[in-house]
Amino acid sequence: MKRMIRIPLLLLAFAMFVAACGDDDDTSSDDGTGGETPSGETLKVGTKYDQPLFGVNTPDGVVGFDAEIARFIADELGMEVAFQEAVSANRETFLENGTVDMVVATYTINDERKEQVDFAGPYYIAGQDIMVEAGNPKGITGIDDLDSADIKTCTVEGSTSLANLNSMAPDAAVTTFDTYSKCADAMGQGRVDAVTTDNVILLGLADESDGAYELVENPFTDEPYGIGVAKGSELRCQINEILQAAYDDGTWAQIYEDTVGAVASVTPDPPAIDNEGC
Ligand code: GLU
């Protein structure tokens, strides 16, 4: 008889404990199971498919820092992520016409883009640099060396990399493609002498080249990466909260180490989030 009473009491105590744990005003719908999607809604995400370390489409899905950040945000929102390839030039359009709900794609926050879209974050700060053939046969040491008809430089249309090149090296001989991997291929074929964009993108391409390419390592801009959403979207402030929590509990650092950390030995501190208007 005593036993029969004791067990329900224990169960009751346990139930009260569980209820108390679940009562701490948790605004996210993450149930801690990782990957379950309570609402089943889809979050359409535009990301790069050809940028090692940040976003590469593989038979096992999209891998890299941007892809993992996007998955984490979708999880926290209780949604299922559906990736779609975005290139530099179509990111604003994709957000404006609803092709995607969110762009996580090495996407620099700047005032010009803010006229068309909103940004959560920043969640990383890159800097524009230059990649050359191993051994640096043309002796390129910085942006000034690209300001010449004798050096063929490749970058991508619709990027800040191209805008910066045009303003800082107006006499550069510029070739453009829609993706950076095409620039890397062009350098492999001897059609260009240099590729310029964010250092972390170049780091991934150089790493993939098996020693064929190297970085000049003389960055000349700040590129704060934001998460693009449609103008006026409530998602911006929600994502900022999710990012802040990921900074505070070490999730962001873990994602960085698991992706970019394969090549970069130092994990930076995450940048301060711009919460203006939230
Ligand atoms: N972060 C720069 C930009 O948003 C260059 C990288 C890219 O094109 O994705 O334009």
Side-chain angles (χ1 to χ4, degrees):
M1 197 61 195
K2 264 185 182 168
R3 245 184 208 169
M4 307 238 343
I5 293 165
R6 249 183 220 154
I7 290 167
L9 273 178
L10 267 176
L11 277 175
L12 183 66
F14 181 66
M16 285 169 73
F17 173 69
V18 168
C21 287
D23 205 15
D24 60 3
D25 222 356
D26 188 355
T27 47
S28 89
S29 50
D30 182 16
D31 59 1
T33 57
E36 281 302 302
T37 54
S39 76
E41 257 184 89
T42 298
L43 186 70
K44 292 175 285 174
V45 178
T47 196
K48 300 293 184 80
Y49 274 11
D50 69 327
Q51 292 183 187
L53 307 180
F54 274 73
V56 176
N57 197 20
T58 77
D60 298 325
V62 189
V63 297
F65 186 67
D66 279 342
E68 290 311 321
I69 290 285
R71 277 194 189 94
F72 178 75
I73 291 166
D75 252 21
E76 291 295 305
L77 291 168
M79 298 172 87
E80 193 168 350
V81 73
F83 286 111
Q84 176 157 343
E85 182 177 18
V87 294
S88 299
N90 65 19
R91 292 175 291 197
E92 289 85 25
T93 314
F94 271 19
L95 289 168
E96 283 177 321
N97 67 18
T99 303
V100 300
D101 304 307
M102 173 169 110
V103 167
V104 192
T106 59
Y107 195 11
T108 295
I109 301 170
N110 66 24
D111 289 342
E112 200 183 330
R113 289 172 176 167
K114 274 196 210 166
E115 284 172 20
Q116 288 175 272
V117 302
D118 281 348
F119 288 99
Y123 65 99
Y124 185 75
I125 313 264
Q128 186 169 343
D129 204 343
I130 300 161
M131 183 172 79
V132 294
E133 281 177 78
N136 197 357
K138 301 267 167 154
I140 296 164
T141 58
I143 177 69
D144 292 345
D145 293 323
L146 304 185
D147 198 17
S148 153
D150 300 333
I151 304 281
K152 293 190 222 84
T153 300
C154 191
T155 191
V156 162
E157 53 227 28
S159 68
T160 57
S161 313
L162 176 60
N164 295 333
L165 181 66
N166 283 338
S167 67
M168 297 172 82
D171 291 327
V174 186
T175 301
T176 59
F177 292 105
D178 60 347
T179 66
Y180 297 102
S181 59
K182 289 181 187 164
C183 281
D185 292 345
M187 193 155 73
Q189 294 155 2
R191 288 155 57 207
V192 300
D193 307 304
V195 180
T196 185
T197 186
D198 302 338
N199 48 3
V200 279
I201 298 174
L202 298 174
L203 202 60
L205 292 169
D207 181 54
E208 235 194 11
S209 78
D210 280 330
Y213 308 141
E214 65 186 42
L215 264 67
V216 164
E217 288 189 41
N218 185 8
F220 48 90
T221 67
D222 268 350
E223 306 292 329
Y225 287 176
I227 292 173
V229 296
K231 204 141 192 58
S233 168
E234 285 179 2
L235 274 175
R236 175 178 165 251
C237 297
Q238 291 173 352
I239 293 168
N240 275 351
E241 269 185 43
I242 291 168
L243 282 176
Q244 189 62 57
Y247 292 2
D248 294 344
D249 73 4
T251 302
W252 180 91
Q254 190 61 54
I255 292 174
Y256 187 89
E257 278 156 32
D258 291 345
T259 54
V260 188
V263 173
S265 50
V266 179
T267 301
D269 287 332
I273 291 172
D274 172 12
N275 268 314
E276 205 190 312
C278 289

